[in-house]
Amino acid sequence: MIDFKRFRLENGLILLVHTDYSTPIAAVNLLYKVGAKHENPEKTGFAHLFEHLMFGGSVNIPVFDEPLERVGGENNAFTTNDLTNYYITVPVENIETALWLESDRMLSLAFSQKSLDVQKSVVIEEFNQRYLNQPYGDVWLNLRPLAYKVHPYRWPTIGMSVEHIQKATLDDVKEFFYGHYAPNNAILCIAGPIDDVKALELTKRWFGSIEPRNIDRKAIPKEPEQNEHRRLTLERDVPFNAIYKAYHMCNRMHPDFPITDLLSDLLSNGRSSRLYQRLVKEKQLFSSVNAYITGDVDEGLFVLTGQLYENTSFKMAEEALNQELEELKVKLVKTDELDKVKNKFEANFIFEQESVMVNALNLCYYEMLSDANLLNLELDRYNAVTAEDIKRVANQVFDVKNCSTVYYKSNLINEN
């Protein structure tokens, strides 16, 4: 049970306070409700670009990291298709440094052509290294637009094209900043050895004077139901053939979400899982195989991936994967197997709560979903999953018409 208090400042900023005197460290987590799905399709990659720009200095703080390093703090950030999250850990006596840093860059970044050019270069280099010049790196640049035709999940957080970042102007990024990075589009959580009265006082001191802004709330189109099996073959200079299969699944708030999550764990969570035991160890069709969900807020994807041994054809690989999915559709999973993945989930869930930083992040995330207290109900949702639930959802999700398949073909193997 994670106790917390919730406040809302007059400018719309939501503050969550989780008091924990078991640690001398305080966590300051600031979640902005902006991710890649909120971008203009003609200007993608901006949320991720801002993850970098936000460390480029703000109106009163030329170098973001220096004040934090002087007081023993650490920070980082990440961007998803749904959100952007910035977090700082710092000895609690220095917590105002963290609040000063976060509030100042919310107030106004130090927009300059020089800073923008530097961060664009960093992001473009990341695009090239991680997505274009790395083996299998471009699979999501191809699999997403195969599975999504309307919803903005069709592009990854790095962006649809490197040209969108190359063409980003100072006016473009200012417009994106003032349309999304505002107190009335953010959730702040302070966790650690500090009471809610003090936390609220400090938050008002550092964030209270920042004016709310007009948030860019464009309607996000819903992806229509997929009614055909989509296929794509890519040929690249990679060491092994690989297969990727993506099925549309429910959204994060749907009652079937924990069922679908456990379904992926049954298939591939650990070496005792079905796919590893049967397709890697026994049949030796794959050198590695995996199943996971994207965990998106809107309707996401259930993904199967595998790297094939040289003697394994794509047909053999796909039939083997399909056979495992078909079994889940017709046979009830045994109680001990289901209990095993539930226990793993519970152990990880409880272990994570030892960290004030993770608690701060999770409280912000669940508040974004609708209510931070959902975090305290999550274990019950997972423990309530039955074998009949697994079978029902497997039948819903693993429909061939709901699937997008990529054959990632190795030119190196074909040359031999």
Side-chain angles (χ1 to χ4, degrees):
M1 182 76 176
I2 304 297
D3 293 322
F4 67 93
K5 292 285 182 64
R6 180 192 292 108
F7 305 92
R8 182 186 291 272
L9 272 58
E10 290 185 1
N11 59 15
L13 177 67
I14 294 175
L15 169 66
L16 306 170
V17 184
H18 167 56
T19 302
D20 180 357
Y21 289 107
S22 69
T23 172
I25 300 298
V28 173
N29 192 85
L30 187 59
L31 182 153
Y32 287 100
K33 292 184 276 188
V34 56
K37 73 180 181 184
H38 301 98
E39 295 163 346
N40 181 330
E42 304 298 322
K43 297 176 182 179
T44 62
F46 274 51
H48 175 253
L49 175 62
F50 260 89
E51 180 189 321
H52 290 262
L53 284 170
M54 292 283 267
F55 292 100
S58 51
V59 60
N60 296 305
I61 306 170
V63 181
F64 183 87
D65 287 328
E66 282 186 1
L68 195 60
E69 290 172 354
R70 285 200 295 270
V71 299
E74 296 180 349
N75 73 94
N76 213 328
F78 63 86
T79 308
T80 75
N81 287 70
D82 299 308
L83 61 91
T84 307
N85 194 79
Y86 298 87
Y87 55 94
I88 295 175
T89 53
V90 65
V92 70
E93 56 268 29
N94 299 323
I95 194 171
E96 282 200 79
T97 301
L99 297 173
W100 170 51
L101 288 163
E102 287 294 5
S103 63
D104 205 58
R105 61 182 176 181
M106 179 188 285
L107 176 67
S108 181
L109 284 182
F111 290 107
S112 72
Q113 191 61 50
K114 181 181 177 183
S115 174
L116 176 59
D117 289 343
V118 168
Q119 298 307 327
K120 281 168 61 174
S121 297
V122 172
V123 172
I124 290 168
E125 182 63 19
E126 182 181 343
F127 201 121
N128 290 330
Q129 284 197 1
R130 292 184 56 192
Y131 293 84
L132 300 183
N133 299 328
Q134 179 168 287
Y136 312 100
D138 66 343
V139 65
W140 279 101
L141 291 172
N142 290 280
L143 183 54
R144 282 185 176 277
L146 186 66
Y148 291 104
K149 298 302 177 188
V150 174
H151 193 283
Y153 286 164
R154 66 184 184 274
W155 61 83
T157 54
I158 196 70
M160 191 184 303
S161 163
V162 73
E163 291 182 357
H164 290 185
I165 299 301
Q166 289 170 333
K167 292 179 179 176
T169 68
L170 210 49
D171 286 341
D172 289 335
V173 296
K174 284 182 180 178
E175 181 183 358
F176 195 77
F177 177 81
Y178 289 109
H180 296 285
Y181 298 80
N184 47 321
N185 201 39
I187 302 166
L188 174 69
C189 182
I190 297 175
I194 182 171
D195 65 47
D196 56 283
V197 175
K198 183 67 174 178
L200 178 60
E201 175 198 335
L202 294 178
T203 301
K204 286 182 175 177
R205 181 184 303 169
W206 290 105
F207 289 87
S209 63
I210 302 174
E211 294 292 326
R213 296 169 185 144
N214 293 323
I215 304 302
D216 183 3
R217 299 192 195 281
K218 291 187 180 71
I220 293 175
K222 187 176 177 64
E223 184 68 20
E225 183 177 350
Q226 183 173 329
N227 290 312
E228 59 178 1
H229 188 189
R230 299 169 185 160
R231 290 187 178 276
L232 176 67
T233 298
L234 302 172
E235 295 188 20
R236 301 287 189 269
D237 293 336
V238 293
F240 307 102
N241 289 330
I243 187 170
Y244 298 82
K245 294 176 72 67
Y247 296 84
H248 291 278
M249 57 169 281
C250 63
N251 65 53
R252 186 61 181 81
M253 291 297 289
H254 195 282
D256 287 347
F257 184 88
I259 303 168
T260 318
D261 192 13
L262 290 180
L263 187 51
S264 71
D265 288 346
L266 282 166
L267 285 168
S268 79
N269 189 347
R271 294 200 163 201
S272 64
S273 61
R274 292 186 176 204
L275 294 186
Y276 182 83
Q277 283 295 317
R278 298 175 181 177
L279 305 189
V280 176
K281 192 173 178 182
E282 295 173 16
K283 298 182 180 177
Q284 299 188 357
L285 294 170
F286 295 87
S287 59
S288 66
V289 65
N290 198 9
Y292 59 91
I293 61 172
T294 52
D296 299 309
V297 172
D298 299 335
E299 284 74 10
L301 296 175
F302 189 112
V303 183
L304 296 154
T305 72
Q307 287 195 342
L308 284 57
Y309 280 123
E310 194 165 336
N311 293 330
T312 306
S313 68
F314 281 109
K315 184 172 183 291
M316 292 162 64
E318 189 165 10
E319 285 179 352
L321 289 172
N322 289 341
Q323 187 177 345
E324 293 301 322
L325 303 184
E326 285 300 317
E327 182 175 327
L328 286 164
K329 291 163 70 173
V330 297
K331 289 178 64 176
L332 286 177
V333 62
K334 291 181 179 177
T335 302
D336 59 345
E337 189 180 5
L338 182 56
D339 286 345
K340 181 186 69 177
V341 294
K342 285 183 182 178
N343 291 339
K344 275 190 176 181
F345 175 83
E346 182 171 356
N348 289 334
F349 188 81
I350 293 173
F351 178 75
E352 283 185 348
Q353 294 186 354
E354 296 297 314
S355 164
V356 288
M357 187 63 256
V358 173
N359 287 335
L361 192 162
N362 283 339
L363 285 169
C364 285
Y365 176 71
Y366 282 86
E367 182 69 18
M368 180 195 70
L369 289 178
S370 69
D371 180 357
N373 194 49
L374 290 173
L375 174 61
N376 292 319
L377 306 176
E378 197 71 303
L379 265 185
D380 290 341
R381 294 180 70 201
Y382 276 74
N383 284 330
V385 174
T386 66
E388 288 77 12
D389 291 329
I390 295 289
K391 183 179 174 183
R392 174 178 58 79
V393 170
N395 275 280
Q396 288 177 354
V397 174
F398 301 139
D399 183 333
V400 67
K401 298 191 298 297
N402 185 40
C403 183
S404 299
T405 301
V406 171
Y407 286 175
Y408 206 105
K409 203 170 179 180
S410 167
N411 287 331
L412 303 179
I413 290 177
N414 293 335
E415 288 174 356
N416 296 329

